[in-house]
Amino acid sequence: MLEFFTLKPKTFGLDISDLSLKMIQLGGKKNFLRLASFGETEIKEGIVQEGEIKDQDALSKIIKESLRNVRGERISTKYVVASLPEDKAFLKVIQLPRMGEEDLKSAILFEAENYIPFPIEEVYLDFQIVKPIVDHLDHFDVLIAALPKKIIDPYVFSIKKAGLFPVALEIESQAVARAIIKKEVSLKPVLIVDLGAVRTNLIVHSGYSLRVTFLNPISAKGFTEMISKTLGVSFAQAEKLKLKYGIDSTQQEGKKVFEALIPPLTDLMEQIKKYLNYYQTHTFHEHLSESQGVEQILLSGGGANLKGLKQFLSKELKMRVETGNPWVNILSDVPREIPSLSFEKSLEYTTAIGLALRQETIKNDSI
């Protein structure tokens, strides 16, 4: 959401999380895009903690290292669209009467103070008018996003020290939705379950915008730790068992893995039910389609590769659950395998793909 450059230079996506850094650059032109470059580098624990950069110099070195080690074409551009941590962000759709551009700017800044849980002088604030599905009303929907300056400034410093220029910084959930929501519009509400290495983000997207996001500590790493603890095996062995059996196996060892994962899976399922109920009882709005109920779940993130997860959630939630396709807005005929990057591995790159898409697809709707 935060833009620093008004033109549209060639950019690449940079996804910075607690444990890894991922890069994606797209080639070609709009409607004829392709994967040009990608790479991933581990971030040692402690450099980034819960989205907050603790060692800016170390992160800057990792970014430089990643640039040298990308696969595919060399990344030649210095311009980057980077991620910002979901757990430090505030996102909300507010409603304001229709008015002129300058009056709207003032009204948004005034109203934002009533919603943002931080002193307004301590945050960076951005906003955009959300295009409506139904446009016959007397007001605007406006998506506002805010993050503390003390969180954002170290990201900007680390990126610049690596010799790059941040064209824009964007909250993770926005990039995820851009990657897997076809043409960035959903006529009916969709719940995205982005199951990452250290946390899960639940994202409701409807119409042309995010509507609400919820962060949950359940994670792919947590699944592995639970298997390790329950079965008394090393973390590395637990990871192998998780990948081999998931929660869909009739073999004895596979059943043990499933039993070990029952507590976190049950917790995840209950959290999804809770947030679906909250959304569906608090967010009716005339700008959206008539049906306000979420009827579909899209899985994304590396954790979406857990065998049997899609079937388990579909059965328990009595809802259609699909694996999100991070290439849906890039390739017209998406193969299951992209050269050098499997479909399963590309799920881990969903945020980076969405960031790389930003300059290709962004509309001039920010004020």
Side-chain angles (χ1 to χ4, degrees), residues 4-61:
F4 301 100
F5 207 73
T6 56
L7 301 179
K8 292 185 179 180
K10 187 65 178 177
T11 63
F12 68 94
L14 175 62
D15 176 24
I16 302 170
S17 64
D18 285 10
L19 300 178
S20 69
L21 181 151
K22 296 181 179 69
M23 296 180 174
I24 287 281
Q25 183 169 26
L26 301 175
K29 297 181 180 180
K30 189 175 181 180
N31 299 324
F32 297 96
L33 297 173
R34 60 181 175 81
L35 174 64
S37 315
F38 69 97
E40 178 179 10
T41 304
E42 178 184 351
I43 297 178
K44 292 182 179 179
E45 289 192 22
I47 294 177
V48 183
Q49 293 181 357
E50 297 182 348
E52 187 171 351
I53 298 174
K54 300 295 185 180
D55 191 334
Q56 299 174 46
D57 291 334
L59 180 60
S60 178
K61 290 178 181 178

Short mmCIF file of all heavy atoms in Angstrom, two decimals, residues 4-61:
data_model
loop_
_atom_site.label_atom_id
_atom_site.label_comp_id
_atom_site.label_asym_id
_atom_site.label_seq_id
_atom_site.Cartn_x
_atom_site.Cartn_y
_atom_site.Cartn_z
N PHE A 4 6.42 4.81 -2.99
CA PHE A 4 7.48 5.80 -2.92
C PHE A 4 7.88 6.30 -4.30
O PHE A 4 8.76 7.13 -4.43
CB PHE A 4 8.72 5.19 -2.24
CG PHE A 4 8.45 4.68 -0.86
CD1 PHE A 4 8.23 3.34 -0.62
CD2 PHE A 4 8.38 5.56 0.22
CE1 PHE A 4 7.98 2.87 0.66
CE2 PHE A 4 8.12 5.11 1.50
CZ PHE A 4 7.91 3.76 1.72
N PHE A 5 7.25 5.80 -5.35
CA PHE A 5 7.68 6.11 -6.70
C PHE A 5 6.43 6.19 -7.57
O PHE A 5 5.62 5.28 -7.57
CB PHE A 5 8.61 5.01 -7.21
CG PHE A 5 9.59 5.46 -8.26
CD1 PHE A 5 10.68 6.25 -7.91
CD2 PHE A 5 9.43 5.06 -9.57
CE1 PHE A 5 11.59 6.64 -8.88
CE2 PHE A 5 10.34 5.44 -10.54
CZ PHE A 5 11.43 6.24 -10.19
N THR A 6 6.26 7.28 -8.30
CA THR A 6 5.01 7.48 -9.03
C THR A 6 5.02 6.83 -10.41
O THR A 6 3.97 6.57 -10.97
CB THR A 6 4.72 8.98 -9.18
OG1 THR A 6 5.85 9.60 -9.82
CG2 THR A 6 4.50 9.62 -7.83
N LEU A 7 6.20 6.58 -11.00
CA LEU A 7 6.28 5.91 -12.28
C LEU A 7 6.17 4.40 -12.07
O LEU A 7 5.99 3.94 -10.96
CB LEU A 7 7.59 6.28 -12.98
CG LEU A 7 7.79 7.77 -13.25
CD1 LEU A 7 9.13 8.00 -13.91
CD2 LEU A 7 6.67 8.33 -14.12
N LYS A 8 6.28 3.64 -13.14
CA LYS A 8 6.17 2.19 -13.03
C LYS A 8 7.40 1.51 -13.62
O LYS A 8 7.35 0.92 -14.70
CB LYS A 8 4.90 1.69 -13.72
CG LYS A 8 3.62 2.13 -13.03
CD LYS A 8 2.40 1.50 -13.68
CE LYS A 8 1.13 1.92 -12.95
NZ LYS A 8 -0.07 1.31 -13.57
N PRO A 9 8.53 1.56 -12.93
CA PRO A 9 9.73 0.90 -13.42
C PRO A 9 9.60 -0.62 -13.27
O PRO A 9 8.72 -1.11 -12.56
CB PRO A 9 10.83 1.44 -12.49
CG PRO A 9 10.11 1.71 -11.21
CD PRO A 9 8.74 2.20 -11.62
N LYS A 10 10.47 -1.35 -13.93
CA LYS A 10 10.49 -2.80 -13.79
C LYS A 10 10.88 -3.14 -12.36
O LYS A 10 11.85 -2.61 -11.82
CB LYS A 10 11.50 -3.41 -14.76
CG LYS A 10 11.47 -4.93 -14.80
CD LYS A 10 10.15 -5.45 -15.34
CE LYS A 10 10.15 -6.97 -15.41
NZ LYS A 10 8.84 -7.49 -15.86
N THR A 11 10.12 -4.02 -11.72
CA THR A 11 10.37 -4.35 -10.32
C THR A 11 10.41 -5.86 -10.14
O THR A 11 10.08 -6.64 -11.04
CB THR A 11 9.27 -3.79 -9.42
OG1 THR A 11 8.01 -4.40 -9.75
CG2 THR A 11 9.15 -2.28 -9.55
N PHE A 12 10.81 -6.27 -8.94
CA PHE A 12 10.67 -7.67 -8.54
C PHE A 12 10.07 -7.72 -7.14
O PHE A 12 10.06 -6.73 -6.42
CB PHE A 12 12.02 -8.42 -8.59
CG PHE A 12 13.03 -7.99 -7.57
CD1 PHE A 12 13.15 -8.65 -6.35
CD2 PHE A 12 13.89 -6.92 -7.82
CE1 PHE A 12 14.10 -8.26 -5.41
CE2 PHE A 12 14.84 -6.53 -6.90
CZ PHE A 12 14.94 -7.20 -5.67
N GLY A 13 9.51 -8.86 -6.80
CA GLY A 13 8.87 -9.03 -5.51
C GLY A 13 9.83 -9.59 -4.48
O GLY A 13 10.57 -10.54 -4.76
N LEU A 14 9.82 -9.01 -3.29
CA LEU A 14 10.70 -9.42 -2.20
C LEU A 14 9.87 -9.71 -0.97
O LEU A 14 9.31 -8.80 -0.35
CB LEU A 14 11.73 -8.31 -1.91
CG LEU A 14 12.66 -8.51 -0.71
CD1 LEU A 14 13.54 -9.75 -0.91
CD2 LEU A 14 13.52 -7.27 -0.50
N ASP A 15 9.75 -10.97 -0.61
CA ASP A 15 8.96 -11.40 0.54
C ASP A 15 9.89 -11.68 1.71
O ASP A 15 10.69 -12.62 1.67
CB ASP A 15 8.16 -12.65 0.17
CG ASP A 15 7.39 -13.22 1.36
OD1 ASP A 15 7.10 -12.46 2.31
OD2 ASP A 15 7.08 -14.44 1.35
N ILE A 16 9.79 -10.85 2.75
CA ILE A 16 10.64 -10.99 3.93
C ILE A 16 9.79 -11.53 5.08
O ILE A 16 8.82 -10.90 5.49
CB ILE A 16 11.25 -9.63 4.34
CG1 ILE A 16 12.07 -9.05 3.19
CG2 ILE A 16 12.11 -9.78 5.60
CD1 ILE A 16 12.51 -7.61 3.41
N SER A 17 10.15 -12.71 5.58
CA SER A 17 9.44 -13.28 6.71
C SER A 17 10.43 -13.55 7.84
O SER A 17 11.61 -13.23 7.72
CB SER A 17 8.72 -14.58 6.32
OG SER A 17 9.65 -15.57 5.93
N ASP A 18 9.98 -14.15 8.92
CA ASP A 18 10.86 -14.39 10.06
C ASP A 18 12.00 -15.34 9.73
O ASP A 18 13.11 -15.19 10.25
CB ASP A 18 10.06 -14.96 11.23
CG ASP A 18 9.21 -13.91 11.92
OD1 ASP A 18 9.09 -12.79 11.38
OD2 ASP A 18 8.65 -14.20 12.99
N LEU A 19 11.74 -16.33 8.89
CA LEU A 19 12.71 -17.41 8.67
C LEU A 19 13.26 -17.50 7.26
O LEU A 19 14.18 -18.28 7.01
CB LEU A 19 12.07 -18.75 9.05
CG LEU A 19 11.60 -18.89 10.50
CD1 LEU A 19 10.95 -20.25 10.72
CD2 LEU A 19 12.76 -18.69 11.47
N SER A 20 12.70 -16.75 6.34
CA SER A 20 13.21 -16.84 4.97
C SER A 20 12.94 -15.57 4.18
O SER A 20 12.09 -14.76 4.55
CB SER A 20 12.58 -18.04 4.23
OG SER A 20 11.20 -17.80 3.99
N LEU A 21 13.68 -15.46 3.10
CA LEU A 21 13.51 -14.34 2.17
C LEU A 21 13.32 -14.94 0.78
O LEU A 21 14.10 -15.79 0.35
CB LEU A 21 14.75 -13.45 2.23
CG LEU A 21 14.80 -12.20 1.36
CD1 LEU A 21 15.67 -11.14 2.03
CD2 LEU A 21 15.36 -12.53 -0.02
N LYS A 22 12.29 -14.51 0.08
CA LYS A 22 12.00 -15.06 -1.25
C LYS A 22 11.91 -13.92 -2.26
O LYS A 22 11.38 -12.85 -1.95
CB LYS A 22 10.70 -15.87 -1.24
CG LYS A 22 10.75 -17.10 -0.35
CD LYS A 22 9.44 -17.87 -0.40
CE LYS A 22 9.50 -19.11 0.46
NZ LYS A 22 9.53 -18.79 1.90
N MET A 23 12.39 -14.19 -3.47
CA MET A 23 12.38 -13.21 -4.55
C MET A 23 11.71 -13.80 -5.78
O MET A 23 11.92 -14.98 -6.09
CB MET A 23 13.79 -12.77 -4.92
CG MET A 23 14.54 -12.04 -3.84
SD MET A 23 16.20 -11.59 -4.40
CE MET A 23 16.77 -10.60 -3.00
N ILE A 24 10.93 -13.00 -6.48
CA ILE A 24 10.33 -13.39 -7.75
C ILE A 24 10.40 -12.20 -8.70
O ILE A 24 10.04 -11.08 -8.32
CB ILE A 24 8.84 -13.79 -7.59
CG1 ILE A 24 8.71 -15.15 -6.91
CG2 ILE A 24 8.13 -13.79 -8.95
CD1 ILE A 24 8.93 -16.35 -7.81
N GLN A 25 10.88 -12.46 -9.91
CA GLN A 25 10.78 -11.44 -10.96
C GLN A 25 10.06 -12.06 -12.15
O GLN A 25 10.33 -13.20 -12.54
CB GLN A 25 12.14 -10.92 -11.41
CG GLN A 25 12.01 -9.81 -12.46
CD GLN A 25 13.32 -9.09 -12.74
OE1 GLN A 25 14.39 -9.65 -12.55
NE2 GLN A 25 13.23 -7.85 -13.19
N LEU A 26 9.12 -11.30 -12.70
CA LEU A 26 8.37 -11.75 -13.86
C LEU A 26 8.96 -11.13 -15.12
O LEU A 26 9.46 -10.00 -15.10
CB LEU A 26 6.89 -11.36 -13.73
CG LEU A 26 6.17 -11.92 -12.50
CD1 LEU A 26 4.76 -11.36 -12.42
CD2 LEU A 26 6.14 -13.44 -12.52
N GLY A 27 8.87 -11.85 -16.21
CA GLY A 27 9.32 -11.34 -17.49
C GLY A 27 8.15 -11.19 -18.44
O GLY A 27 7.01 -11.53 -18.11
N GLY A 28 8.41 -10.69 -19.62
CA GLY A 28 7.35 -10.51 -20.60
C GLY A 28 6.57 -9.24 -20.35
O GLY A 28 6.99 -8.36 -19.60
N LYS A 29 5.39 -9.16 -20.96
CA LYS A 29 4.53 -8.00 -20.83
C LYS A 29 3.18 -8.42 -20.28
O LYS A 29 2.86 -9.60 -20.22
CB LYS A 29 4.35 -7.30 -22.19
CG LYS A 29 5.65 -6.75 -22.77
CD LYS A 29 5.40 -6.07 -24.10
CE LYS A 29 6.70 -5.51 -24.67
NZ LYS A 29 6.48 -4.84 -25.98
N LYS A 30 2.38 -7.44 -19.89
CA LYS A 30 1.06 -7.73 -19.36
C LYS A 30 0.29 -8.63 -20.31
O LYS A 30 0.28 -8.42 -21.51
CB LYS A 30 0.29 -6.43 -19.12
CG LYS A 30 -1.02 -6.64 -18.35
CD LYS A 30 -1.68 -5.31 -18.04
CE LYS A 30 -2.97 -5.53 -17.26
NZ LYS A 30 -3.65 -4.26 -16.95
N ASN A 31 -0.36 -9.65 -19.74
CA ASN A 31 -1.11 -10.68 -20.46
C ASN A 31 -0.21 -11.73 -21.10
O ASN A 31 -0.70 -12.73 -21.64
CB ASN A 31 -2.03 -10.09 -21.53
CG ASN A 31 -3.08 -9.14 -20.95
OD1 ASN A 31 -3.58 -9.37 -19.85
ND2 ASN A 31 -3.37 -8.07 -21.67
N PHE A 32 1.10 -11.50 -21.05
CA PHE A 32 2.04 -12.48 -21.57
C PHE A 32 3.22 -12.61 -20.59
O PHE A 32 4.38 -12.54 -20.97
CB PHE A 32 2.55 -12.08 -22.95
CG PHE A 32 1.46 -12.03 -23.99
CD1 PHE A 32 0.84 -10.82 -24.29
CD2 PHE A 32 1.05 -13.17 -24.65
CE1 PHE A 32 -0.16 -10.76 -25.24
CE2 PHE A 32 0.04 -13.11 -25.61
CZ PHE A 32 -0.57 -11.91 -25.90
N LEU A 33 2.90 -12.76 -19.32
CA LEU A 33 3.92 -12.80 -18.28
C LEU A 33 4.49 -14.21 -18.14
O LEU A 33 3.86 -15.19 -18.49
CB LEU A 33 3.34 -12.33 -16.95
CG LEU A 33 2.85 -10.88 -16.91
CD1 LEU A 33 2.13 -10.60 -15.60
CD2 LEU A 33 4.01 -9.92 -17.11
N ARG A 34 5.67 -14.28 -17.56
CA ARG A 34 6.31 -15.56 -17.30
C ARG A 34 7.22 -15.42 -16.09
O ARG A 34 7.56 -14.30 -15.67
CB ARG A 34 7.14 -15.99 -18.51
CG ARG A 34 8.24 -15.00 -18.86
CD ARG A 34 9.04 -15.42 -20.07
NE ARG A 34 10.01 -14.38 -20.45
CZ ARG A 34 11.19 -14.21 -19.87
NH1 ARG A 34 11.57 -15.01 -18.87
NH2 ARG A 34 12.01 -13.25 -20.26
N LEU A 35 7.61 -16.54 -15.53
CA LEU A 35 8.57 -16.52 -14.43
C LEU A 35 9.96 -16.32 -15.01
O LEU A 35 10.43 -17.11 -15.83
CB LEU A 35 8.50 -17.85 -13.67
CG LEU A 35 9.55 -18.05 -12.57
CD1 LEU A 35 9.36 -17.03 -11.45
CD2 LEU A 35 9.48 -19.47 -12.01
N ALA A 36 10.64 -15.27 -14.58
CA ALA A 36 11.99 -14.98 -15.07
C ALA A 36 13.06 -15.38 -14.06
O ALA A 36 14.08 -15.95 -14.42
CB ALA A 36 12.13 -13.50 -15.41
N SER A 37 12.81 -15.05 -12.78
CA SER A 37 13.82 -15.29 -11.74
C SER A 37 13.12 -15.63 -10.44
O SER A 37 12.04 -15.14 -10.15
CB SER A 37 14.69 -14.05 -11.52
OG SER A 37 15.10 -13.47 -12.74
N PHE A 38 13.77 -16.48 -9.64
CA PHE A 38 13.26 -16.77 -8.31
C PHE A 38 14.40 -17.23 -7.42
O PHE A 38 15.43 -17.72 -7.89
CB PHE A 38 12.14 -17.83 -8.34
CG PHE A 38 12.61 -19.22 -8.70
CD1 PHE A 38 12.89 -20.15 -7.71
CD2 PHE A 38 12.78 -19.59 -10.03
CE1 PHE A 38 13.32 -21.43 -8.04
CE2 PHE A 38 13.20 -20.87 -10.37
CZ PHE A 38 13.47 -21.79 -9.37
N GLY A 39 14.22 -17.06 -6.13
CA GLY A 39 15.24 -17.50 -5.19
C GLY A 39 14.75 -17.44 -3.76
O GLY A 39 13.82 -16.70 -3.44
N GLU A 40 15.38 -18.23 -2.92
CA GLU A 40 15.02 -18.28 -1.50
C GLU A 40 16.28 -18.40 -0.67
O GLU A 40 17.19 -19.15 -1.01
CB GLU A 40 14.10 -19.47 -1.23
CG GLU A 40 13.71 -19.64 0.22
CD GLU A 40 12.79 -20.83 0.45
OE1 GLU A 40 12.60 -21.63 -0.51
OE2 GLU A 40 12.25 -20.96 1.56
N THR A 41 16.34 -17.65 0.42
CA THR A 41 17.48 -17.70 1.33
C THR A 41 16.96 -17.77 2.77
O THR A 41 16.02 -17.05 3.13
CB THR A 41 18.37 -16.44 1.18
OG1 THR A 41 18.79 -16.33 -0.19
CG2 THR A 41 19.60 -16.53 2.07
N GLU A 42 17.57 -18.62 3.54
CA GLU A 42 17.18 -18.76 4.94
C GLU A 42 17.59 -17.52 5.74
O GLU A 42 18.64 -16.93 5.50
CB GLU A 42 17.84 -20.00 5.55
CG GLU A 42 17.53 -20.22 7.02
CD GLU A 42 18.28 -21.40 7.61
OE1 GLU A 42 18.91 -22.15 6.83
OE2 GLU A 42 18.25 -21.58 8.85
N ILE A 43 16.74 -17.13 6.67
CA ILE A 43 17.07 -16.06 7.62
C ILE A 43 17.22 -16.70 9.00
O ILE A 43 16.31 -17.36 9.49
CB ILE A 43 15.96 -14.99 7.67
CG1 ILE A 43 15.83 -14.30 6.31
CG2 ILE A 43 16.25 -13.95 8.76
CD1 ILE A 43 14.72 -13.25 6.25
N LYS A 44 18.37 -16.53 9.59
CA LYS A 44 18.62 -17.14 10.90
C LYS A 44 17.68 -16.54 11.95
O LYS A 44 17.34 -15.36 11.89
CB LYS A 44 20.08 -16.92 11.33
CG LYS A 44 21.09 -17.68 10.47
CD LYS A 44 22.51 -17.46 10.97
CE LYS A 44 23.51 -18.24 10.13
NZ LYS A 44 24.91 -18.02 10.60
N GLU A 45 17.29 -17.38 12.89
CA GLU A 45 16.39 -16.93 13.94
C GLU A 45 16.99 -15.75 14.70
O GLU A 45 18.18 -15.73 15.01
CB GLU A 45 16.09 -18.07 14.91
CG GLU A 45 15.20 -19.16 14.30
CD GLU A 45 14.66 -20.12 15.34
OE1 GLU A 45 14.62 -19.73 16.54
OE2 GLU A 45 14.32 -21.26 14.98
N GLY A 46 16.16 -14.77 14.98
CA GLY A 46 16.60 -13.60 15.74
C GLY A 46 16.81 -12.36 14.91
O GLY A 46 16.76 -11.24 15.43
N ILE A 47 17.04 -12.53 13.59
CA ILE A 47 17.24 -11.36 12.72
C ILE A 47 15.91 -10.64 12.51
O ILE A 47 15.84 -9.40 12.55
CB ILE A 47 17.87 -11.78 11.39
CG1 ILE A 47 19.29 -12.31 11.63
CG2 ILE A 47 17.90 -10.60 10.42
CD1 ILE A 47 19.98 -12.83 10.38
N VAL A 48 14.87 -11.43 12.29
CA VAL A 48 13.50 -10.91 12.20
C VAL A 48 12.63 -11.70 13.16
O VAL A 48 12.58 -12.93 13.10
CB VAL A 48 12.93 -11.03 10.77
CG1 VAL A 48 11.53 -10.41 10.70
CG2 VAL A 48 13.85 -10.38 9.74
N GLN A 49 11.97 -11.01 14.08
CA GLN A 49 11.15 -11.68 15.08
C GLN A 49 9.73 -11.12 15.03
O GLN A 49 9.52 -9.93 15.23
CB GLN A 49 11.73 -11.49 16.48
CG GLN A 49 13.05 -12.19 16.70
CD GLN A 49 13.58 -12.01 18.12
OE1 GLN A 49 12.99 -11.31 18.93
NE2 GLN A 49 14.70 -12.63 18.42
N GLU A 50 8.78 -12.00 14.73
CA GLU A 50 7.37 -11.62 14.65
C GLU A 50 7.19 -10.38 13.76
O GLU A 50 6.45 -9.46 14.08
CB GLU A 50 6.79 -11.38 16.04
CG GLU A 50 6.79 -12.65 16.90
CD GLU A 50 6.18 -12.42 18.26
OE1 GLU A 50 5.94 -11.26 18.64
OE2 GLU A 50 5.93 -13.41 18.96
N GLY A 51 7.92 -10.39 12.65
CA GLY A 51 7.80 -9.31 11.68
C GLY A 51 8.63 -8.08 11.97
O GLY A 51 8.69 -7.17 11.14
N GLU A 52 9.28 -8.02 13.10
CA GLU A 52 10.09 -6.85 13.47
C GLU A 52 11.56 -7.14 13.22
O GLU A 52 12.11 -8.13 13.73
CB GLU A 52 9.85 -6.51 14.93
CG GLU A 52 10.51 -5.21 15.37
CD GLU A 52 10.09 -4.77 16.76
OE1 GLU A 52 9.16 -5.40 17.32
OE2 GLU A 52 10.69 -3.82 17.29
N ILE A 53 12.21 -6.28 12.44
CA ILE A 53 13.62 -6.47 12.11
C ILE A 53 14.47 -6.09 13.31
O ILE A 53 14.46 -4.95 13.78
CB ILE A 53 14.01 -5.63 10.89
CG1 ILE A 53 13.21 -6.09 9.66
CG2 ILE A 53 15.51 -5.76 10.60
CD1 ILE A 53 13.42 -5.22 8.44
N LYS A 54 15.25 -7.05 13.79
CA LYS A 54 16.11 -6.83 14.95
C LYS A 54 17.56 -6.53 14.55
O LYS A 54 18.30 -5.92 15.32
CB LYS A 54 16.09 -8.07 15.85
CG LYS A 54 14.72 -8.42 16.40
CD LYS A 54 14.20 -7.34 17.34
CE LYS A 54 12.88 -7.76 17.98
NZ LYS A 54 12.37 -6.72 18.91
N ASP A 55 17.96 -6.98 13.36
CA ASP A 55 19.33 -6.76 12.89
C ASP A 55 19.27 -6.32 11.44
O ASP A 55 19.24 -7.14 10.52
CB ASP A 55 20.16 -8.05 13.04
CG ASP A 55 21.65 -7.82 12.82
OD1 ASP A 55 22.00 -6.87 12.10
OD2 ASP A 55 22.46 -8.61 13.35
N GLN A 56 19.26 -5.02 11.22
CA GLN A 56 19.10 -4.48 9.87
C GLN A 56 20.30 -4.79 8.98
O GLN A 56 20.14 -5.11 7.80
CB GLN A 56 18.88 -2.96 9.96
CG GLN A 56 17.63 -2.58 10.75
CD GLN A 56 17.52 -1.08 10.96
OE1 GLN A 56 17.71 -0.31 10.04
NE2 GLN A 56 17.21 -0.66 12.18
N ASP A 57 21.50 -4.71 9.54
CA ASP A 57 22.70 -4.99 8.75
C ASP A 57 22.73 -6.44 8.28
O ASP A 57 23.08 -6.72 7.13
CB ASP A 57 23.95 -4.68 9.57
CG ASP A 57 24.13 -3.19 9.83
OD1 ASP A 57 23.62 -2.39 9.02
OD2 ASP A 57 24.75 -2.82 10.84
N ALA A 58 22.36 -7.36 9.17
CA ALA A 58 22.35 -8.78 8.80
C ALA A 58 21.33 -9.05 7.71
O ALA A 58 21.59 -9.80 6.75
CB ALA A 58 22.06 -9.64 10.03
N LEU A 59 20.15 -8.43 7.81
CA LEU A 59 19.13 -8.63 6.79
C LEU A 59 19.58 -8.06 5.46
O LEU A 59 19.37 -8.67 4.40
CB LEU A 59 17.82 -7.99 7.23
CG LEU A 59 16.66 -8.13 6.24
CD1 LEU A 59 16.34 -9.60 5.98
CD2 LEU A 59 15.42 -7.40 6.75
N SER A 60 20.22 -6.92 5.49
CA SER A 60 20.72 -6.31 4.26
C SER A 60 21.71 -7.23 3.56
O SER A 60 21.67 -7.38 2.33
CB SER A 60 21.40 -4.97 4.59
OG SER A 60 21.92 -4.37 3.43
N LYS A 61 22.58 -7.88 4.31
CA LYS A 61 23.55 -8.82 3.73
C LYS A 61 22.85 -10.02 3.10
O LYS A 61 23.26 -10.51 2.05
CB LYS A 61 24.53 -9.28 4.80
CG LYS A 61 25.49 -8.19 5.27
CD LYS A 61 26.42 -8.71 6.36
CE LYS A 61 27.36 -7.62 6.85
NZ LYS A 61 28.24 -8.09 7.97
#
